Amino acid sequence: MHEYTSRVRVWGLTCPGFPEEVSRARRWTRDILRGSPLADDAALIVSELSTNALLHTSSGGERGSFHLAVAVAPQVIALSVTDDGGGDAPKVEYQDQDAEHGRGLGMVSALAHRVVVQGAGGGYTVTAELFVNAQRGGHSC
């Protein structure tokens, strides 16, 4: 393969920390993945991760923002949301099905084939990977 040729495509979007930006991030993701059978799952994951960034970190503050990256390769779609920090490390919590809060990252983990959290108090990146042509399962955090 030529050194400047890659089968991986990466897109990035930085959104101000307003709640309405979650729907923009979701639409943007769906547009990128138009035609993919994973587009709806990816849009839901982006919605959950973006909402978590706004609700639980400085991203939802007056001057906050969050960054979304979508990487598409032949075998995997990786969706990453990076927050502004100022909150606790994101973690999967399995809540009662009637709970109104605390289920987002658990849902992401159920949809994705792998979820990885990186970073520290200065900001966290949560990456959810969807494997193309694979069955769900084998989750790790």
Side-chain angles (χ1 to χ4, degrees), residues 69-81:
V70 176
V72 179
Q75 298 301 318
V76 67
I77 296 170
L79 310 153
S80 299
V81 172

Side-chain angles (χ1 to χ4, degrees), residues 13-27 46-47 49-55 57-67 84:
L13 176 69
T14 299
C15 297
F18 305 124
E20 58 269 19
E21 292 298 313
V22 173
S23 62
R24 180 168 77 121
R26 186 175 48 245
R27 282 190 312 274
V46 163
S47 183
L49 296 180
S50 300
T51 298
N52 284 351
L54 294 178
L55 291 177
T57 75
S58 299
S59 292
E62 185 176 325
R63 298 176 195 257
S65 64
F66 63 94
H67 183 77
D84 282 348

Side-chain angles (χ1 to χ4, degrees), residues 87 106 108:
V108 168

